[in-house]
Amino acid sequence: MSERLETGDTAPAFTLPDADGTEVSLAAHHGRKVIVYFYPAALTPGCTKQACDFTDNLQLLAGAGYDVIGVSPDKPEKLAKFRDQENLKVTLVGDPSKEILTAYGAYGEKKLYGKTVTGVIRSTIVVDENGKVERAFYNVKATGHVAKIIKDLGI
C-alpha cells in the first residue's frame, strides 16, 4: 500500500505527458497553487462527471489562484479522446507506469463492491505555491467532490 500524503509534506515532483503528448511538470506551476486530482480511467461515467465538474469550475478556481491537473493511468491518445469528446478544459496527464499515482498514495488496495482490489484510489491533493501539500483528500466521490473542495478552500 502506498503512503498517503499529509498536510505539510513535499508534493512529489512529476513530469507526465498530457493529452497532446506535451510534458507537464508540477515544477512549472511553482508560485501557483495546484489541485492535482487522481482518477481511475478516462471515458468512464464517474470520471467524466468529475472532469466536467472541474471544467465547469475552472474559471472560479483559476480566479482564486489554482491550476488543475487530472492524473490517470491512461495514455495520451485516450486522454485526447476524453478531452475532445467531453470538451474538457482541465489539463489531463497520463501515468501508465503508475509511478506518480503511487508516490501520491493514489494507487493501491481499495474496496470495490465489497472486494479488495488494487487500483487507482480517487484522490485530490492541493499543493501550495511552494510545492507543499496544503490538503489531501482520499477515497473521494466523483459527484459533488469539486463543490466540497471549493467550500473547504473557502473559494
Side-chain angles (χ1 to χ4, degrees), residues 25-59:
S25 70
L26 183 62
H29 294 267
H30 191 78
R32 298 236 342 135
K33 294 183 179 201
V34 185
I35 296 170
V36 185
Y37 80 96
F38 299 89
Y39 62 99
L43 301 167
T44 58
C47 298
T48 298
K49 173 72 176 126
Q50 188 177 21
C52 288
D53 276 356
F54 272 115
T55 292
D56 292 347
N57 288 286
L58 198 56
Q59 205 168 355

Short mmCIF file of all heavy atoms in Angstrom, two decimals, residues 25-59:
data_model
loop_
_atom_site.label_atom_id
_atom_site.label_comp_id
_atom_site.label_asym_id
_atom_site.label_seq_id
_atom_site.Cartn_x
_atom_site.Cartn_y
_atom_site.Cartn_z
N SER A 25 4.85 19.44 -16.02
CA SER A 25 5.52 19.17 -14.75
C SER A 25 4.91 20.01 -13.63
O SER A 25 4.41 21.11 -13.88
CB SER A 25 7.02 19.47 -14.85
OG SER A 25 7.23 20.86 -14.95
N LEU A 26 4.96 19.46 -12.44
CA LEU A 26 4.49 20.20 -11.27
C LEU A 26 5.38 21.43 -11.06
O LEU A 26 4.89 22.50 -10.73
CB LEU A 26 4.51 19.30 -10.03
CG LEU A 26 3.98 19.93 -8.75
CD1 LEU A 26 2.50 20.33 -8.88
CD2 LEU A 26 4.15 18.97 -7.57
N ALA A 27 6.67 21.29 -11.31
CA ALA A 27 7.62 22.40 -11.10
C ALA A 27 7.26 23.63 -11.94
O ALA A 27 7.49 24.76 -11.51
CB ALA A 27 9.04 21.93 -11.44
N ALA A 28 6.68 23.42 -13.11
CA ALA A 28 6.29 24.54 -13.97
C ALA A 28 5.19 25.39 -13.34
O ALA A 28 4.95 26.52 -13.77
CB ALA A 28 5.84 24.02 -15.34
N HIS A 29 4.53 24.87 -12.32
CA HIS A 29 3.44 25.59 -11.66
C HIS A 29 3.91 26.24 -10.35
O HIS A 29 3.08 26.75 -9.60
CB HIS A 29 2.28 24.63 -11.37
CG HIS A 29 1.62 24.15 -12.62
ND1 HIS A 29 0.53 24.76 -13.18
CD2 HIS A 29 1.92 23.12 -13.45
CE1 HIS A 29 0.18 24.13 -14.28
NE2 HIS A 29 1.01 23.13 -14.47
N HIS A 30 5.23 26.21 -10.10
CA HIS A 30 5.76 26.81 -8.86
C HIS A 30 5.31 28.28 -8.79
O HIS A 30 5.35 29.00 -9.76
CB HIS A 30 7.29 26.72 -8.82
CG HIS A 30 7.85 27.08 -7.50
ND1 HIS A 30 7.83 26.21 -6.42
CD2 HIS A 30 8.42 28.23 -7.04
CE1 HIS A 30 8.38 26.81 -5.38
NE2 HIS A 30 8.74 28.03 -5.73
N GLY A 31 4.84 28.68 -7.61
CA GLY A 31 4.34 30.03 -7.43
C GLY A 31 2.82 30.11 -7.58
O GLY A 31 2.22 31.14 -7.31
N ARG A 32 2.19 29.01 -8.04
CA ARG A 32 0.74 28.93 -8.12
C ARG A 32 0.30 27.73 -7.32
O ARG A 32 1.05 26.78 -7.14
CB ARG A 32 0.27 28.72 -9.57
CG ARG A 32 0.64 29.84 -10.47
CD ARG A 32 -0.44 30.54 -11.25
NE ARG A 32 -1.73 29.96 -11.45
CZ ARG A 32 -2.86 30.64 -11.29
NH1 ARG A 32 -2.85 31.88 -10.87
NH2 ARG A 32 -4.02 30.08 -11.55
N LYS A 33 -0.93 27.76 -6.84
CA LYS A 33 -1.48 26.59 -6.16
C LYS A 33 -2.00 25.64 -7.23
O LYS A 33 -2.45 26.08 -8.29
CB LYS A 33 -2.60 27.00 -5.21
CG LYS A 33 -2.09 27.84 -4.06
CD LYS A 33 -3.19 28.17 -3.10
CE LYS A 33 -2.64 29.01 -1.95
NZ LYS A 33 -3.49 28.97 -0.78
N VAL A 34 -1.89 24.35 -6.97
CA VAL A 34 -2.30 23.35 -7.94
C VAL A 34 -3.19 22.31 -7.27
O VAL A 34 -2.84 21.78 -6.21
CB VAL A 34 -1.09 22.63 -8.58
CG1 VAL A 34 -1.54 21.69 -9.68
CG2 VAL A 34 -0.08 23.63 -9.12
N ILE A 35 -4.32 22.04 -7.89
CA ILE A 35 -5.18 20.93 -7.46
C ILE A 35 -4.84 19.77 -8.37
O ILE A 35 -5.05 19.84 -9.59
CB ILE A 35 -6.67 21.30 -7.57
CG1 ILE A 35 -7.00 22.45 -6.60
CG2 ILE A 35 -7.54 20.08 -7.29
CD1 ILE A 35 -8.38 23.06 -6.80
N VAL A 36 -4.24 18.73 -7.80
CA VAL A 36 -3.89 17.54 -8.57
C VAL A 36 -4.89 16.46 -8.18
O VAL A 36 -4.95 16.06 -7.02
CB VAL A 36 -2.45 17.06 -8.27
CG1 VAL A 36 -2.07 15.89 -9.18
CG2 VAL A 36 -1.43 18.20 -8.43
N TYR A 37 -5.69 16.04 -9.16
CA TYR A 37 -6.67 15.01 -8.83
C TYR A 37 -6.39 13.74 -9.61
O TYR A 37 -5.95 13.78 -10.74
CB TYR A 37 -8.11 15.52 -8.98
CG TYR A 37 -8.67 15.56 -10.38
CD1 TYR A 37 -9.45 14.50 -10.87
CD2 TYR A 37 -8.46 16.66 -11.20
CE1 TYR A 37 -9.99 14.55 -12.15
CE2 TYR A 37 -9.00 16.71 -12.48
CZ TYR A 37 -9.75 15.65 -12.95
OH TYR A 37 -10.28 15.69 -14.22
N PHE A 38 -6.61 12.63 -8.94
CA PHE A 38 -6.30 11.31 -9.49
C PHE A 38 -7.61 10.55 -9.71
O PHE A 38 -8.43 10.47 -8.80
CB PHE A 38 -5.39 10.55 -8.52
CG PHE A 38 -4.09 11.27 -8.29
CD1 PHE A 38 -3.97 12.20 -7.27
CD2 PHE A 38 -2.99 11.03 -9.10
CE1 PHE A 38 -2.78 12.89 -7.06
CE2 PHE A 38 -1.80 11.71 -8.89
CZ PHE A 38 -1.69 12.64 -7.88
N TYR A 39 -7.77 10.01 -10.91
CA TYR A 39 -8.99 9.29 -11.25
C TYR A 39 -8.65 8.01 -11.98
O TYR A 39 -7.62 7.92 -12.64
CB TYR A 39 -9.93 10.19 -12.07
CG TYR A 39 -9.38 10.62 -13.40
CD1 TYR A 39 -9.75 9.96 -14.57
CD2 TYR A 39 -8.47 11.68 -13.50
CE1 TYR A 39 -9.24 10.35 -15.80
CE2 TYR A 39 -7.96 12.07 -14.72
CZ TYR A 39 -8.34 11.40 -15.87
OH TYR A 39 -7.82 11.78 -17.09
N PRO A 40 -9.51 6.99 -11.87
CA PRO A 40 -9.18 5.67 -12.42
C PRO A 40 -9.06 5.57 -13.94
O PRO A 40 -8.13 4.95 -14.44
CB PRO A 40 -10.31 4.77 -11.91
CG PRO A 40 -10.83 5.47 -10.71
CD PRO A 40 -10.68 6.93 -10.99
N ALA A 41 -10.00 6.15 -14.69
CA ALA A 41 -9.97 5.94 -16.14
C ALA A 41 -10.78 6.97 -16.90
O ALA A 41 -11.91 7.26 -16.53
CB ALA A 41 -10.49 4.54 -16.47
N ALA A 42 -10.20 7.48 -17.97
CA ALA A 42 -10.91 8.39 -18.86
C ALA A 42 -12.08 7.65 -19.51
O ALA A 42 -12.05 6.42 -19.65
CB ALA A 42 -9.96 8.91 -19.93
N LEU A 43 -13.09 8.42 -19.90
CA LEU A 43 -14.24 7.89 -20.65
C LEU A 43 -15.10 6.92 -19.85
O LEU A 43 -15.73 6.04 -20.41
CB LEU A 43 -13.78 7.25 -21.97
CG LEU A 43 -13.04 8.19 -22.93
CD1 LEU A 43 -12.36 7.41 -24.03
CD2 LEU A 43 -13.99 9.23 -23.49
N THR A 44 -15.10 7.05 -18.52
CA THR A 44 -15.99 6.26 -17.68
C THR A 44 -16.95 7.25 -16.99
O THR A 44 -16.61 8.42 -16.83
CB THR A 44 -15.22 5.45 -16.62
OG1 THR A 44 -14.44 6.35 -15.82
CG2 THR A 44 -14.30 4.41 -17.27
N PRO A 45 -18.14 6.81 -16.60
CA PRO A 45 -19.15 7.75 -16.10
C PRO A 45 -18.71 8.62 -14.91
O PRO A 45 -18.87 9.84 -14.95
CB PRO A 45 -20.32 6.84 -15.72
CG PRO A 45 -20.15 5.63 -16.56
CD PRO A 45 -18.66 5.45 -16.71
N GLY A 46 -18.16 8.02 -13.87
CA GLY A 46 -17.76 8.80 -12.69
C GLY A 46 -16.63 9.76 -13.00
O GLY A 46 -16.65 10.92 -12.57
N CYS A 47 -15.66 9.30 -13.75
CA CYS A 47 -14.50 10.14 -14.08
C CYS A 47 -14.91 11.27 -15.01
O CYS A 47 -14.39 12.38 -14.93
CB CYS A 47 -13.40 9.30 -14.69
SG CYS A 47 -12.79 8.04 -13.53
N THR A 48 -15.88 11.00 -15.89
CA THR A 48 -16.40 12.04 -16.78
C THR A 48 -17.10 13.11 -15.95
O THR A 48 -16.88 14.31 -16.15
CB THR A 48 -17.35 11.44 -17.82
OG1 THR A 48 -16.61 10.51 -18.62
CG2 THR A 48 -17.97 12.51 -18.70
N LYS A 49 -17.94 12.70 -15.00
CA LYS A 49 -18.66 13.64 -14.14
C LYS A 49 -17.66 14.53 -13.39
O LYS A 49 -17.81 15.75 -13.34
CB LYS A 49 -19.55 12.86 -13.16
CG LYS A 49 -20.22 13.72 -12.10
CD LYS A 49 -21.33 14.57 -12.67
CE LYS A 49 -22.04 15.34 -11.59
NZ LYS A 49 -22.08 16.78 -11.86
N GLN A 50 -16.62 13.91 -12.83
CA GLN A 50 -15.63 14.65 -12.06
C GLN A 50 -14.87 15.64 -12.94
O GLN A 50 -14.69 16.80 -12.58
CB GLN A 50 -14.66 13.68 -11.38
CG GLN A 50 -13.72 14.35 -10.41
CD GLN A 50 -12.83 13.34 -9.69
OE1 GLN A 50 -12.63 12.22 -10.16
NE2 GLN A 50 -12.29 13.73 -8.56
N ALA A 51 -14.42 15.19 -14.11
CA ALA A 51 -13.67 16.07 -15.03
C ALA A 51 -14.55 17.22 -15.51
O ALA A 51 -14.07 18.36 -15.63
CB ALA A 51 -13.15 15.26 -16.20
N CYS A 52 -15.83 16.95 -15.77
CA CYS A 52 -16.76 18.01 -16.19
C CYS A 52 -16.98 19.00 -15.05
O CYS A 52 -17.06 20.21 -15.29
CB CYS A 52 -18.07 17.41 -16.67
SG CYS A 52 -17.95 16.58 -18.28
N ASP A 53 -17.07 18.52 -13.82
CA ASP A 53 -17.21 19.41 -12.65
C ASP A 53 -16.00 20.34 -12.53
O ASP A 53 -16.15 21.54 -12.28
CB ASP A 53 -17.36 18.62 -11.35
CG ASP A 53 -18.79 18.17 -11.09
OD1 ASP A 53 -19.69 18.53 -11.87
OD2 ASP A 53 -18.99 17.44 -10.09
N PHE A 54 -14.80 19.79 -12.70
CA PHE A 54 -13.60 20.63 -12.64
C PHE A 54 -13.60 21.64 -13.78
O PHE A 54 -13.29 22.82 -13.58
CB PHE A 54 -12.32 19.79 -12.66
CG PHE A 54 -11.85 19.35 -11.30
CD1 PHE A 54 -11.83 18.02 -10.95
CD2 PHE A 54 -11.43 20.28 -10.35
CE1 PHE A 54 -11.40 17.60 -9.69
CE2 PHE A 54 -11.01 19.88 -9.08
CZ PHE A 54 -10.99 18.54 -8.76
N THR A 55 -13.98 21.20 -14.99
CA THR A 55 -14.04 22.11 -16.14
C THR A 55 -15.05 23.23 -15.89
O THR A 55 -14.76 24.40 -16.13
CB THR A 55 -14.39 21.33 -17.42
OG1 THR A 55 -13.29 20.47 -17.74
CG2 THR A 55 -14.65 22.26 -18.60
N ASP A 56 -16.22 22.87 -15.37
CA ASP A 56 -17.27 23.87 -15.10
C ASP A 56 -16.85 24.90 -14.07
O ASP A 56 -17.34 26.03 -14.06
CB ASP A 56 -18.56 23.18 -14.62
CG ASP A 56 -19.23 22.36 -15.72
OD1 ASP A 56 -18.85 22.51 -16.90
OD2 ASP A 56 -20.12 21.55 -15.38
N ASN A 57 -15.94 24.52 -13.16
CA ASN A 57 -15.49 25.41 -12.09
C ASN A 57 -14.08 25.94 -12.29
O ASN A 57 -13.52 26.59 -11.41
CB ASN A 57 -15.58 24.68 -10.74
CG ASN A 57 -17.02 24.51 -10.30
OD1 ASN A 57 -17.67 25.45 -9.89
ND2 ASN A 57 -17.53 23.29 -10.45
N LEU A 58 -13.51 25.68 -13.48
CA LEU A 58 -12.11 26.05 -13.73
C LEU A 58 -11.87 27.55 -13.62
O LEU A 58 -10.88 27.98 -13.02
CB LEU A 58 -11.69 25.54 -15.11
CG LEU A 58 -10.20 25.45 -15.37
CD1 LEU A 58 -9.50 24.58 -14.33
CD2 LEU A 58 -9.94 24.87 -16.76
N GLN A 59 -12.78 28.35 -14.14
CA GLN A 59 -12.62 29.80 -14.08
C GLN A 59 -12.62 30.29 -12.62
O GLN A 59 -11.79 31.11 -12.24
CB GLN A 59 -13.74 30.47 -14.87
CG GLN A 59 -13.36 31.84 -15.37
CD GLN A 59 -14.35 32.39 -16.39
OE1 GLN A 59 -15.28 31.69 -16.79
NE2 GLN A 59 -14.14 33.61 -16.78
#
